[in-house]
Amino acid sequence: MNRFRASLLLALLAATVLALPAHADDEPDLATRKRMWSIAERLDCPVCQGQSVRESNAQLAAQMREIILIKLQSGESETQIMDFFADRYGLAVLREPPREGLALGVWIGPVVILGLGILLLVWVFARGRQPGVAATDANLEAYERQVDDLRQAGRDSPPPA
């Protein structure tokens, strides 16, 4: 009986030792995990507001991280993985919208607005440096005539009683 136990223990130990290398191949290496975290950082969690898949503790985010690992281990590129999640959850899942189509406005819009703001400031400051309409003698003559007419009218009228 002791021999049977020893043989059984030795067989279990041998099976465990032989299974370790096979299981180690299933575990993603450090480079794959780094790529997974990089991709997860560029995806918004569909459940959490303002959190990336990397930051989120939601169950869906954990599942998304696992899917990323599986796809990386199967040889898919980062672009293919990002496209997969964009197709599944919409473009809102991408933290950085694509630079094409209507989404291009997200990239160009701020630059255009900044440029227009700078042009507006330059125009305001340039206009402020220009001398305003100076009071010329021609402009003052009309006012002086009106003042003289009023004075004359005051002299011609009888004094109040």
Side-chain angles (χ1 to χ4, degrees):
M1 189 74 158
N2 283 341
R3 254 188 163 165
F4 178 72
R5 285 184 184 171
S7 298
L8 185 62
L9 184 63
L10 187 59
L12 285 172
L13 183 62
T16 305
V17 168
L18 291 174
L20 283 177
H23 181 65
D25 289 341
D26 292 343
E27 278 296 312
D29 61 345
L30 184 61
T32 304
R33 283 213 176 267
K34 283 183 178 180
R35 286 179 62 202
M36 182 271 299
W37 288 117
S38 171
I39 294 170
E41 183 65 36
R42 295 185 294 161
L43 292 170
D44 265 336
C45 177
V47 178
C48 313
Q49 283 191 336
Q51 283 189 325
S52 69
V53 170
R54 179 181 182 151
E55 301 167 320
S56 176
N57 292 326
Q59 184 177 4
L60 179 60
Q63 291 170 353
M64 289 172 76
R65 290 190 295 265
E66 284 299 316
I67 291 171
I68 294 169
L69 275 175
I70 291 167
K71 288 186 171 295
L72 284 173
Q73 288 174 326
S74 71
E76 290 190 36
S77 70
E78 292 183 17
T79 305
Q80 289 172 321
I81 295 170
M82 298 292 281
D83 289 343
F84 168 78
F85 285 110
D87 290 341
R88 191 163 190 184
Y89 297 103
L91 291 178
V93 77
L94 302 177
R95 294 198 103 174
E96 186 175 296
R99 296 178 178 153
E100 57 189 30
L102 290 176
L104 188 62
V106 174
W107 295 101
I108 294 177
V111 174
V112 170
I113 290 172
L114 181 66
L116 290 173
I118 290 172
L119 286 174
L120 179 66
L121 285 174
V122 167
W123 180 72
V124 166
F125 285 122
R127 193 165 180 236
R129 287 188 180 169
Q130 290 177 354
V133 177
T136 61
D137 290 339
N139 291 343
L140 289 179
E141 285 179 13
Y143 294 116
E144 288 175 353
R145 269 189 262 125
Q146 287 179 347
V147 171
D148 288 342
D149 290 344
L150 289 174
R151 285 187 185 152
Q152 189 67 16
R155 288 185 197 149
D156 293 341
S157 66

